[in-house]
Amino acid sequence: LLRPGEHTRVGQSAFSMLHPGLAAELDHPDVAALIAPRPLLLFGSPEDKLFPWDAVQQAWKSLGRAWDRGAGLQTRTTAGGHGFDLQQQRSAAAWLSG
């Protein structure tokens, strides 16, 4: 997900920018995998302009290897691009309370 020229590599501020040099060593899926085997829910959209869909799919595949046969990891494909709409919020709340 940290391809040259992508938004997180061109000066945008985010949690991943808080640790100088982190992006040289770890990509977003590597950092997320550090919580395995605890549950993780991720949403992604093929229309997302910030995270290329092919990279998201590769990240999800990589994360699946960090969990035992994917147990505890849930990925959900959504429409509409980069966002967290009301339906996704409700889905996440149900997952958290489940």
Side-chain angles (χ1 to χ4, degrees):
L1 293 175
L2 295 175
R3 296 176 176 167
E6 293 294 335
H7 73 286
T8 55
R9 301 293 299 269
V10 292
Q12 299 295 325
S13 64
F15 73 92
S16 60
M17 301 294 121
L18 296 176
H19 304 283
L22 181 65
E25 303 295 328
L26 300 171
D27 198 351
H28 293 302
D30 303 316
V31 175
L34 295 173
I35 72 159
R38 289 176 286 176
L40 177 63
L41 170 64
L42 299 169
F43 293 89
S45 173
E47 295 92 32
D48 193 326
K49 301 297 184 205
L50 297 177
F51 294 102
W53 185 237
D54 65 318
V56 170
Q57 292 175 306
Q58 289 174 0
W60 288 358
K61 183 177 179 181
S62 173
L63 285 167
R65 291 189 294 270
W67 275 258
D68 184 27
R69 293 178 301 282
L73 173 65
Q74 289 190 31
T75 58
R76 299 191 184 163
T77 302
T78 60
H82 193 85
F84 194 52
D85 64 25
L86 185 57
Q87 180 179 353
Q88 292 165 314
Q89 292 171 43
R90 288 181 175 147
S91 178
W95 180 82
L96 286 168
S97 65

